[in-house]
Amino acid sequence: MKALKTALLAAAGLAMASSPALADKDDDTLVWVTTFEPPTYNYYDQTLREGTILSRHIWDSLYWRDLDTGEYVPHLATKIEYADPKTIDITLREGVTFHNGEKFDADDVVYTLTMVNDPENKMANRNPVRWISSVEKTGEYSVRLKLDEIFAPAIEYLSTSVVMYPNEYYQEVGKDGYGRAPVGTGPYKAAEVVPGKRLVLEKNENYFGGGKGQPHIGKVVMRFIPEANTQIAELLSGNADLIWRLSKEQGEKLSGRDGINVVAGETMRVGYLQFDSSGSSGESPLTNQKVRQAISYAINRQAIVENLMGGGQVINLACYPTQFGCESPDAPIYNYDPEKAKALLAEAGYPDGFEIDFYAYRNRDFAEAMMGFMSQVGIKANLQWMKYSALRDKVRNDEVPFNFMTWGSGSVNDIANITAYFFDGRADDTALAPDVKKLLDAGGATIDKEERLKNYREALKLIAERAHWLPLFSYAYFYAMDENLDFQTTPDEILHLYRAKWKE
């Protein structure tokens, strides 16, 4: 346990010796304030968005999806190619080292993918590697991935959410130790961990660059402050450089303040209404397709985007528009039409409407606006407000007839991580439509792009026709920052702070 003790003692010494870092261009320190602290800094053992953001800073993927062009470019790997549709050969970059000096090679890739994918290790975030059946070392800097079934978005995953751990260090410190003192190859290294307070990242002076390029700012301090008003006060007092996920109202109040820039950035996160069309939670009006369609026509999604969100866009398919496969020109669109909603309710046998429980966990103002629109056509929705984890579990236990939730796709730009996830017949699927699942499975079982698109178009059309979901809108977040900071938002809902720089 020598490596863990050394890392933790160093972090403890820093924590005792230092006070919270102040935002300061002169000290080359960027302070980002966010609401949630990951429960562990072991990336694969958590599912929080902040943990996903850190994965792009502390660790690296094999390839990289260019943020400007969307093209896949070499990163930790110099070449990724298919030997056959279920075999992927990977040639690794030589000369890369982890933050602790350990050499990066094929052993690290084999260990990372095998360890995370082993159910015995009980990693909370196995999904990025679940599709890999085995990993074989074919040389000091080459590996072969074997798949039991074709997994069409493999390159997308290998370019985003699959990152590499140091095998020797991880085996020495273990799962929990690694979560307290993580080590990667990324543009920043974890220099100080103060649980509940902050994480300090320092520039990796030996970073190889690859597809990401070199980091610009010397130190990034990630502070955790749950209260939005306190976050704003820290920004205004100069104790923070960047805050995010502000509401439209908060963003507008900060806009125009001296020394502060405010921008709205669209993200891949989508809001959706999920109907228990299969009746798994018990008999309800929502098993009637016309009722689901009526609700879809009843809600003015554009009004919510314009008046409450202040950004983003109405979406009409069960995916984010840039994701591969997110197209279906023949799918119906549910434009706001309360009279049509009332007519459909009457046809379904509910001329006077009905009463139903409506579950949600975030954006209460959005949920209440939707309830207001439903009330105008006779539907009384009783809001059941819960924490995300509790609501997710209730959905998976077939206890929820109707819910408003969101999904960020893990920033994977392929509908395999949203449409195919929610209609795969597993715990999060409340439609349980075998023909939809068959089409999505077929789309994911080939690396022929045209064949994938054909199956996905038909699946999305069926989902829309039957109103298994009502896709609502993409999310836009307001970001507020020091006027000296040059920071660009990206739709993947990730703050790429290694690209940030100070203005001259």
Tab-separated table of all heavy atoms in Angstrom, residues 104-154:
chain	number	residue	atom	x	y	z
A	104	PHE	N	2.596	3.840	-19.787
A	104	PHE	CA	1.352	3.376	-20.381
A	104	PHE	C	1.664	2.387	-21.492
A	104	PHE	O	2.459	2.677	-22.403
A	104	PHE	CB	0.559	4.549	-20.957
A	104	PHE	CG	-0.579	4.123	-21.841
A	104	PHE	CD1	-1.733	3.569	-21.295
A	104	PHE	CD2	-0.499	4.260	-23.228
A	104	PHE	CE1	-2.783	3.162	-22.114
A	104	PHE	CE2	-1.538	3.860	-24.056
A	104	PHE	CZ	-2.679	3.306	-23.496
A	105	ASP	N	1.034	1.196	-21.407
A	105	ASP	CA	1.220	0.194	-22.459
A	105	ASP	C	0.015	-0.734	-22.494
A	105	ASP	O	-1.019	-0.457	-21.868
A	105	ASP	CB	2.531	-0.584	-22.250
A	105	ASP	CG	2.615	-1.284	-20.898
A	105	ASP	OD1	1.559	-1.518	-20.264
A	105	ASP	OD2	3.746	-1.591	-20.462
A	106	ALA	N	0.165	-1.836	-23.219
A	106	ALA	CA	-0.960	-2.750	-23.434
A	106	ALA	C	-1.472	-3.348	-22.130
A	106	ALA	O	-2.678	-3.631	-22.007
A	106	ALA	CB	-0.542	-3.858	-24.398
A	107	ASP	N	-0.609	-3.543	-21.147
A	107	ASP	CA	-1.043	-4.131	-19.878
A	107	ASP	C	-2.100	-3.262	-19.193
A	107	ASP	O	-3.018	-3.775	-18.550
A	107	ASP	CB	0.152	-4.324	-18.941
A	107	ASP	CG	1.103	-5.410	-19.428
A	107	ASP	OD1	0.624	-6.363	-20.073
A	107	ASP	OD2	2.313	-5.291	-19.167
A	108	ASP	N	-1.971	-1.949	-19.332
A	108	ASP	CA	-2.936	-1.045	-18.715
A	108	ASP	C	-4.303	-1.155	-19.389
A	108	ASP	O	-5.340	-1.128	-18.720
A	108	ASP	CB	-2.430	0.398	-18.808
A	108	ASP	CG	-1.083	0.570	-18.145
A	108	ASP	OD1	-0.987	0.346	-16.931
A	108	ASP	OD2	-0.117	0.907	-18.866
A	109	VAL	N	-4.312	-1.294	-20.703
A	109	VAL	CA	-5.574	-1.416	-21.437
A	109	VAL	C	-6.264	-2.724	-21.081
A	109	VAL	O	-7.463	-2.757	-20.780
A	109	VAL	CB	-5.333	-1.321	-22.952
A	109	VAL	CG1	-6.647	-1.494	-23.711
A	109	VAL	CG2	-4.679	0.005	-23.314
A	110	VAL	N	-5.517	-3.805	-21.103
A	110	VAL	CA	-6.080	-5.115	-20.774
A	110	VAL	C	-6.629	-5.102	-19.351
A	110	VAL	O	-7.754	-5.555	-19.095
A	110	VAL	CB	-5.027	-6.228	-20.941
A	110	VAL	CG1	-5.566	-7.552	-20.409
A	110	VAL	CG2	-4.621	-6.365	-22.408
A	111	TYR	N	-5.853	-4.574	-18.427
A	111	TYR	CA	-6.284	-4.568	-17.022
A	111	TYR	C	-7.526	-3.702	-16.828
A	111	TYR	O	-8.507	-4.134	-16.196
A	111	TYR	CB	-5.163	-4.063	-16.115
A	111	TYR	CG	-5.595	-4.018	-14.665
A	111	TYR	CD1	-5.644	-5.184	-13.893
A	111	TYR	CD2	-6.010	-2.828	-14.077
A	111	TYR	CE1	-6.078	-5.158	-12.585
A	111	TYR	CE2	-6.448	-2.796	-12.767
A	111	TYR	CZ	-6.479	-3.956	-12.029
A	111	TYR	OH	-6.922	-3.940	-10.714
A	112	THR	N	-7.516	-2.483	-17.372
A	112	THR	CA	-8.643	-1.571	-17.174
A	112	THR	C	-9.936	-2.175	-17.684
A	112	THR	O	-10.948	-2.242	-16.958
A	112	THR	CB	-8.393	-0.229	-17.895
A	112	THR	OG1	-7.213	0.381	-17.372
A	112	THR	CG2	-9.574	0.717	-17.696
A	113	LEU	N	-9.944	-2.617	-18.928
A	113	LEU	CA	-11.181	-3.108	-19.534
A	113	LEU	C	-11.664	-4.396	-18.875
A	113	LEU	O	-12.866	-4.597	-18.693
A	113	LEU	CB	-10.981	-3.308	-21.037
A	113	LEU	CG	-10.578	-2.050	-21.821
A	113	LEU	CD1	-10.453	-2.368	-23.301
A	113	LEU	CD2	-11.575	-0.923	-21.598
A	114	THR	N	-10.744	-5.252	-18.500
A	114	THR	CA	-11.116	-6.517	-17.851
A	114	THR	C	-11.628	-6.272	-16.444
A	114	THR	O	-12.650	-6.840	-16.027
A	114	THR	CB	-9.911	-7.468	-17.818
A	114	THR	OG1	-9.432	-7.673	-19.156
A	114	THR	CG2	-10.301	-8.809	-17.212
A	115	MET	N	-10.932	-5.428	-15.702
A	115	MET	CA	-11.306	-5.159	-14.318
A	115	MET	C	-12.666	-4.483	-14.226
A	115	MET	O	-13.535	-4.885	-13.448
A	115	MET	CB	-10.225	-4.295	-13.658
A	115	MET	CG	-10.488	-3.940	-12.192
A	115	MET	SD	-11.507	-2.453	-11.970
A	115	MET	CE	-10.436	-1.191	-12.667
A	116	VAL	N	-12.895	-3.460	-15.033
A	116	VAL	CA	-14.155	-2.731	-14.967
A	116	VAL	C	-15.320	-3.623	-15.404
A	116	VAL	O	-16.413	-3.557	-14.836
A	116	VAL	CB	-14.095	-1.459	-15.837
A	116	VAL	CG1	-15.451	-0.756	-15.872
A	116	VAL	CG2	-13.028	-0.505	-15.310
A	117	ASN	N	-15.071	-4.480	-16.361
A	117	ASN	CA	-16.139	-5.307	-16.924
A	117	ASN	C	-16.472	-6.528	-16.070
A	117	ASN	O	-17.483	-7.193	-16.307
A	117	ASN	CB	-15.746	-5.768	-18.332
A	117	ASN	CG	-16.936	-5.862	-19.261
A	117	ASN	OD1	-18.061	-5.564	-18.894
A	117	ASN	ND2	-16.682	-6.282	-20.484
A	118	ASP	N	-15.659	-6.828	-15.094
A	118	ASP	CA	-15.884	-7.998	-14.231
A	118	ASP	C	-16.977	-7.676	-13.209
A	118	ASP	O	-16.781	-6.819	-12.339
A	118	ASP	CB	-14.592	-8.369	-13.519
A	118	ASP	CG	-14.718	-9.648	-12.704
A	118	ASP	OD1	-15.857	-10.139	-12.523
A	118	ASP	OD2	-13.676	-10.156	-12.242
A	119	PRO	N	-18.138	-8.344	-13.255
A	119	PRO	CA	-19.219	-8.052	-12.301
A	119	PRO	C	-18.794	-8.194	-10.847
A	119	PRO	O	-19.366	-7.549	-9.962
A	119	PRO	CB	-20.299	-9.079	-12.669
A	119	PRO	CG	-20.000	-9.471	-14.079
A	119	PRO	CD	-18.511	-9.405	-14.208
A	120	GLU	N	-17.796	-9.027	-10.601
A	120	GLU	CA	-17.335	-9.215	-9.226
A	120	GLU	C	-16.788	-7.935	-8.621
A	120	GLU	O	-16.783	-7.755	-7.401
A	120	GLU	CB	-16.248	-10.306	-9.188
A	120	GLU	CG	-16.756	-11.698	-9.518
A	120	GLU	CD	-17.744	-12.208	-8.467
A	120	GLU	OE1	-17.474	-12.013	-7.261
A	120	GLU	OE2	-18.776	-12.784	-8.851
A	121	ASN	N	-16.322	-7.025	-9.467
A	121	ASN	CA	-15.755	-5.770	-8.966
A	121	ASN	C	-16.809	-4.712	-8.684
A	121	ASN	O	-16.502	-3.659	-8.114
A	121	ASN	CB	-14.723	-5.233	-9.953
A	121	ASN	CG	-13.501	-6.114	-10.018
A	121	ASN	OD1	-13.040	-6.633	-9.007
A	121	ASN	ND2	-12.953	-6.299	-11.213
A	122	LYS	N	-18.038	-4.954	-9.086
A	122	LYS	CA	-19.192	-4.135	-8.736
A	122	LYS	C	-18.969	-2.646	-9.010
A	122	LYS	O	-19.227	-1.791	-8.165
A	122	LYS	CB	-19.575	-4.347	-7.262
A	122	LYS	CG	-19.969	-5.775	-6.946
A	122	LYS	CD	-20.341	-5.960	-5.483
A	122	LYS	CE	-20.741	-7.408	-5.200
A	122	LYS	NZ	-21.078	-7.614	-3.769
A	123	MET	N	-18.479	-2.344	-10.199
A	123	MET	CA	-18.300	-0.954	-10.586
A	123	MET	C	-19.659	-0.347	-10.944
A	123	MET	O	-20.455	-0.967	-11.650
A	123	MET	CB	-17.338	-0.843	-11.759
A	123	MET	CG	-15.975	-1.472	-11.506
A	123	MET	SD	-15.094	-0.723	-10.117
A	123	MET	CE	-14.243	0.600	-10.951
A	124	ALA	N	-19.906	0.863	-10.493
A	124	ALA	CA	-21.207	1.502	-10.703
A	124	ALA	C	-21.424	1.902	-12.156
A	124	ALA	O	-22.564	2.088	-12.579
A	124	ALA	CB	-21.331	2.726	-9.802
A	125	ASN	N	-20.347	2.024	-12.927
A	125	ASN	CA	-20.450	2.524	-14.300
A	125	ASN	C	-19.782	1.552	-15.274
A	125	ASN	O	-18.817	1.894	-15.952
A	125	ASN	CB	-19.818	3.917	-14.395
A	125	ASN	CG	-20.080	4.589	-15.734
A	125	ASN	OD1	-21.046	4.278	-16.423
A	125	ASN	ND2	-19.222	5.532	-16.092
A	126	ARG	N	-20.330	0.343	-15.370
A	126	ARG	CA	-19.797	-0.667	-16.283
A	126	ARG	C	-20.209	-0.419	-17.725
A	126	ARG	O	-19.597	-0.954	-18.654
A	126	ARG	CB	-20.311	-2.064	-15.892
A	126	ARG	CG	-19.448	-2.841	-14.916
A	126	ARG	CD	-20.011	-4.239	-14.755
A	126	ARG	NE	-19.909	-5.023	-15.969
A	126	ARG	CZ	-20.718	-6.030	-16.282
A	126	ARG	NH1	-21.714	-6.363	-15.479
A	126	ARG	NH2	-20.547	-6.703	-17.405
A	127	ASN	N	-21.250	0.378	-17.923
A	127	ASN	CA	-21.852	0.492	-19.249
A	127	ASN	C	-20.861	0.841	-20.365
A	127	ASN	O	-20.972	0.305	-21.464
A	127	ASN	CB	-22.982	1.522	-19.219
A	127	ASN	CG	-23.880	1.443	-20.436
A	127	ASN	OD1	-24.434	0.392	-20.736
A	127	ASN	ND2	-24.029	2.542	-21.146
A	128	PRO	N	-19.867	1.717	-20.136
A	128	PRO	CA	-18.969	2.051	-21.242
A	128	PRO	C	-18.193	0.872	-21.811
A	128	PRO	O	-17.769	0.926	-22.964
A	128	PRO	CB	-18.009	3.072	-20.608
A	128	PRO	CG	-18.804	3.686	-19.509
A	128	PRO	CD	-19.633	2.562	-18.957
A	129	VAL	N	-17.999	-0.200	-21.026
A	129	VAL	CA	-17.193	-1.324	-21.505
A	129	VAL	C	-17.969	-2.638	-21.549
A	129	VAL	O	-17.405	-3.682	-21.895
A	129	VAL	CB	-15.928	-1.503	-20.632
A	129	VAL	CG1	-15.091	-0.236	-20.636
A	129	VAL	CG2	-16.282	-1.876	-19.195
A	130	ARG	N	-19.231	-2.595	-21.228
A	130	ARG	CA	-20.034	-3.817	-21.124
A	130	ARG	C	-20.060	-4.607	-22.432
A	130	ARG	O	-20.220	-5.828	-22.446
A	130	ARG	CB	-21.455	-3.449	-20.697
A	130	ARG	CG	-22.316	-4.603	-20.239
A	130	ARG	CD	-23.737	-4.121	-19.997
A	130	ARG	NE	-23.820	-3.148	-18.931
A	130	ARG	CZ	-24.025	-3.462	-17.661
A	130	ARG	NH1	-24.151	-4.728	-17.319
A	130	ARG	NH2	-24.096	-2.521	-16.749
A	131	TRP	N	-19.907	-3.939	-23.548
A	131	TRP	CA	-20.007	-4.554	-24.875
A	131	TRP	C	-18.754	-5.348	-25.256
A	131	TRP	O	-18.751	-6.076	-26.255
A	131	TRP	CB	-20.248	-3.471	-25.919
A	131	TRP	CG	-19.291	-2.321	-25.835
A	131	TRP	CD1	-19.373	-1.256	-24.987
A	131	TRP	CD2	-18.105	-2.127	-26.602
A	131	TRP	NE1	-18.313	-0.396	-25.179
A	131	TRP	CE2	-17.523	-0.906	-26.170
A	131	TRP	CE3	-17.487	-2.849	-27.622
A	131	TRP	CZ2	-16.344	-0.414	-26.716
A	131	TRP	CZ3	-16.314	-2.353	-28.171
A	131	TRP	CH2	-15.750	-1.154	-27.718
A	132	ILE	N	-17.676	-5.230	-24.491
A	132	ILE	CA	-16.423	-5.928	-24.779
A	132	ILE	C	-16.425	-7.276	-24.055
A	132	ILE	O	-16.585	-7.332	-22.837
A	132	ILE	CB	-15.210	-5.088	-24.319
A	132	ILE	CG1	-15.206	-3.737	-25.040
A	132	ILE	CG2	-13.905	-5.829	-24.572
A	132	ILE	CD1	-14.221	-2.735	-24.464
A	133	SER	N	-16.249	-8.354	-24.789
A	133	SER	CA	-16.267	-9.675	-24.143
A	133	SER	C	-14.896	-10.071	-23.612
A	133	SER	O	-14.788	-10.723	-22.584
A	133	SER	CB	-16.786	-10.739	-25.110
A	133	SER	OG	-15.976	-10.817	-26.267
A	134	SER	N	-13.816	-9.687	-24.318
A	134	SER	CA	-12.477	-10.017	-23.834
A	134	SER	C	-11.455	-9.078	-24.470
A	134	SER	O	-11.710	-8.468	-25.512
A	134	SER	CB	-12.111	-11.473	-24.155
A	134	SER	OG	-12.021	-11.668	-25.551
A	135	VAL	N	-10.297	-8.960	-23.799
A	135	VAL	CA	-9.201	-8.117	-24.282
A	135	VAL	C	-7.934	-8.960	-24.275
A	135	VAL	O	-7.602	-9.603	-23.271
A	135	VAL	CB	-8.990	-6.877	-23.395
A	135	VAL	CG1	-8.037	-5.899	-24.075
A	135	VAL	CG2	-10.296	-6.215	-23.054
A	136	GLU	N	-7.216	-8.947	-25.372
A	136	GLU	CA	-5.988	-9.747	-25.502
A	136	GLU	C	-4.810	-8.837	-25.839
A	136	GLU	O	-4.906	-7.977	-26.723
A	136	GLU	CB	-6.177	-10.784	-26.617
A	136	GLU	CG	-4.929	-11.570	-26.964
A	136	GLU	CD	-5.093	-12.408	-28.222
A	136	GLU	OE1	-6.232	-12.478	-28.751
A	136	GLU	OE2	-4.090	-12.960	-28.695
A	137	LYS	N	-3.718	-9.029	-25.131
A	137	LYS	CA	-2.488	-8.302	-25.440
A	137	LYS	C	-1.818	-8.984	-26.624
A	137	LYS	O	-1.506	-10.174	-26.574
A	137	LYS	CB	-1.571	-8.310	-24.222
A	137	LYS	CG	-0.227	-7.638	-24.436
A	137	LYS	CD	0.612	-7.709	-23.162
A	137	LYS	CE	1.998	-7.111	-23.372
A	137	LYS	NZ	2.832	-7.173	-22.138
A	138	THR	N	-1.584	-8.230	-27.680
A	138	THR	CA	-0.938	-8.803	-28.865
A	138	THR	C	0.480	-8.282	-29.059
A	138	THR	O	1.174	-8.679	-29.982
A	138	THR	CB	-1.778	-8.487	-30.123
A	138	THR	OG1	-1.968	-7.071	-30.223
A	138	THR	CG2	-3.130	-9.183	-30.047
A	139	GLY	N	0.904	-7.386	-28.190
A	139	GLY	CA	2.251	-6.827	-28.235
A	139	GLY	C	2.387	-5.826	-27.117
A	139	GLY	O	1.406	-5.503	-26.435
A	140	GLU	N	3.563	-5.303	-26.908
A	140	GLU	CA	3.748	-4.351	-25.814
A	140	GLU	C	2.862	-3.124	-25.989
A	140	GLU	O	2.386	-2.541	-25.013
A	140	GLU	CB	5.210	-3.913	-25.727
A	140	GLU	CG	5.488	-3.003	-24.539
A	140	GLU	CD	6.948	-2.614	-24.417
A	140	GLU	OE1	7.751	-2.983	-25.315
A	140	GLU	OE2	7.303	-1.941	-23.427
A	141	TYR	N	2.607	-2.761	-27.250
A	141	TYR	CA	1.778	-1.592	-27.530
A	141	TYR	C	0.649	-1.934	-28.501
A	141	TYR	O	0.313	-1.147	-29.393
A	141	TYR	CB	2.636	-0.455	-28.087
A	141	TYR	CG	3.576	0.122	-27.052
A	141	TYR	CD1	4.917	-0.277	-27.020
A	141	TYR	CD2	3.140	1.025	-26.097
A	141	TYR	CE1	5.783	0.231	-26.064
A	141	TYR	CE2	3.998	1.532	-25.133
A	141	TYR	CZ	5.313	1.135	-25.124
A	141	TYR	OH	6.174	1.631	-24.162
A	142	SER	N	0.041	-3.083	-28.318
A	142	SER	CA	-1.104	-3.449	-29.154
A	142	SER	C	-2.011	-4.416	-28.408
A	142	SER	O	-1.552	-5.231	-27.610
A	142	SER	CB	-0.638	-4.081	-30.474
A	142	SER	OG	0.124	-5.241	-30.247
A	143	VAL	N	-3.317	-4.267	-28.661
A	143	VAL	CA	-4.316	-5.138	-28.035
A	143	VAL	C	-5.383	-5.490	-29.067
A	143	VAL	O	-5.539	-4.818	-30.085
A	143	VAL	CB	-4.985	-4.467	-26.814
A	143	VAL	CG1	-3.989	-4.166	-25.719
A	143	VAL	CG2	-5.734	-3.210	-27.223
A	144	ARG	N	-6.130	-6.541	-28.757
A	144	ARG	CA	-7.256	-6.960	-29.588
A	144	ARG	C	-8.492	-7.071	-28.706
A	144	ARG	O	-8.466	-7.740	-27.665
A	144	ARG	CB	-6.950	-8.289	-30.272
A	144	ARG	CG	-8.163	-8.958	-30.923
A	144	ARG	CD	-7.765	-10.088	-31.848
A	144	ARG	NE	-7.275	-9.569	-33.126
A	144	ARG	CZ	-7.017	-10.343	-34.184
A	144	ARG	NH1	-7.168	-11.666	-34.098
A	144	ARG	NH2	-6.598	-9.798	-35.311
A	145	LEU	N	-9.569	-6.399	-29.121
A	145	LEU	CA	-10.845	-6.503	-28.427
A	145	LEU	C	-11.721	-7.519	-29.148
A	145	LEU	O	-11.850	-7.467	-30.371
A	145	LEU	CB	-11.570	-5.156	-28.395
A	145	LEU	CG	-10.824	-3.921	-27.881
A	145	LEU	CD1	-11.779	-2.732	-27.802
A	145	LEU	CD2	-10.182	-4.187	-26.543
A	146	LYS	N	-12.326	-8.419	-28.388
A	146	LYS	CA	-13.270	-9.388	-28.943
A	146	LYS	C	-14.664	-9.065	-28.427
A	146	LYS	O	-14.843	-8.750	-27.246
A	146	LYS	CB	-12.880	-10.812	-28.552
A	146	LYS	CG	-11.531	-11.267	-29.095
A	146	LYS	CD	-11.529	-11.373	-30.612
A	146	LYS	CE	-12.393	-12.524	-31.102
A	146	LYS	NZ	-12.309	-12.664	-32.594
A	147	LEU	N	-15.639	-9.141	-29.311
A	147	LEU	CA	-17.024	-8.859	-28.973
A	147	LEU	C	-17.851	-10.111	-29.218
A	147	LEU	O	-17.653	-10.804	-30.223
A	147	LEU	CB	-17.577	-7.714	-29.832
A	147	LEU	CG	-17.113	-6.286	-29.561
A	147	LEU	CD1	-15.619	-6.093	-29.726
A	147	LEU	CD2	-17.867	-5.321	-30.471
A	148	ASP	N	-18.764	-10.414	-28.302
A	148	ASP	CA	-19.685	-11.531	-28.529
A	148	ASP	C	-20.691	-11.167	-29.614
A	148	ASP	O	-21.122	-12.008	-30.398
A	148	ASP	CB	-20.422	-11.885	-27.240
A	148	ASP	CG	-19.526	-12.601	-26.247
A	148	ASP	OD1	-18.559	-13.247	-26.684
A	148	ASP	OD2	-19.789	-12.499	-25.035
A	149	GLU	N	-21.070	-9.883	-29.636
A	149	GLU	CA	-22.005	-9.386	-30.633
A	149	GLU	C	-21.461	-8.090	-31.208
A	149	GLU	O	-20.705	-7.370	-30.548
A	149	GLU	CB	-23.380	-9.135	-30.008
A	149	GLU	CG	-24.043	-10.379	-29.435
A	149	GLU	CD	-25.380	-10.064	-28.773
A	149	GLU	OE1	-25.688	-8.862	-28.626
A	149	GLU	OE2	-26.098	-11.006	-28.419
A	150	ILE	N	-21.849	-7.779	-32.416
A	150	ILE	CA	-21.429	-6.522	-33.032
A	150	ILE	C	-21.973	-5.362	-32.194
A	150	ILE	O	-23.139	-5.363	-31.791
A	150	ILE	CB	-21.947	-6.420	-34.473
A	150	ILE	CG1	-21.289	-7.505	-35.342
A	150	ILE	CG2	-21.678	-5.039	-35.058
A	150	ILE	CD1	-21.887	-7.599	-36.721
A	151	PHE	N	-21.126	-4.390	-31.938
A	151	PHE	CA	-21.519	-3.191	-31.201
A	151	PHE	C	-21.177	-1.988	-32.064
A	151	PHE	O	-20.028	-1.555	-32.138
A	151	PHE	CB	-20.801	-3.130	-29.858
A	151	PHE	CG	-21.233	-1.999	-28.978
A	151	PHE	CD1	-22.498	-1.977	-28.417
A	151	PHE	CD2	-20.372	-0.943	-28.714
A	151	PHE	CE1	-22.911	-0.925	-27.602
A	151	PHE	CE2	-20.771	0.115	-27.905
A	151	PHE	CZ	-22.037	0.125	-27.344
A	152	ALA	N	-22.193	-1.479	-32.749
A	152	ALA	CA	-21.959	-0.470	-33.777
A	152	ALA	C	-21.259	0.795	-33.282
A	152	ALA	O	-20.395	1.332	-33.977
A	152	ALA	CB	-23.283	-0.114	-34.450
A	153	PRO	N	-21.602	1.330	-32.092
A	153	PRO	CA	-20.949	2.582	-31.681
A	153	PRO	C	-19.623	2.385	-30.946
A	153	PRO	O	-19.227	3.223	-30.140
A	153	PRO	CB	-21.994	3.221	-30.757
A	153	PRO	CG	-22.682	2.066	-30.138
A	153	PRO	CD	-22.718	0.987	-31.194
A	154	ALA	N	-18.926	1.299	-31.227
A	154	ALA	CA	-17.688	0.990	-30.496
A	154	ALA	C	-16.677	2.130	-30.567
A	154	ALA	O	-16.076	2.507	-29.548
A	154	ALA	CB	-17.078	-0.291	-31.054
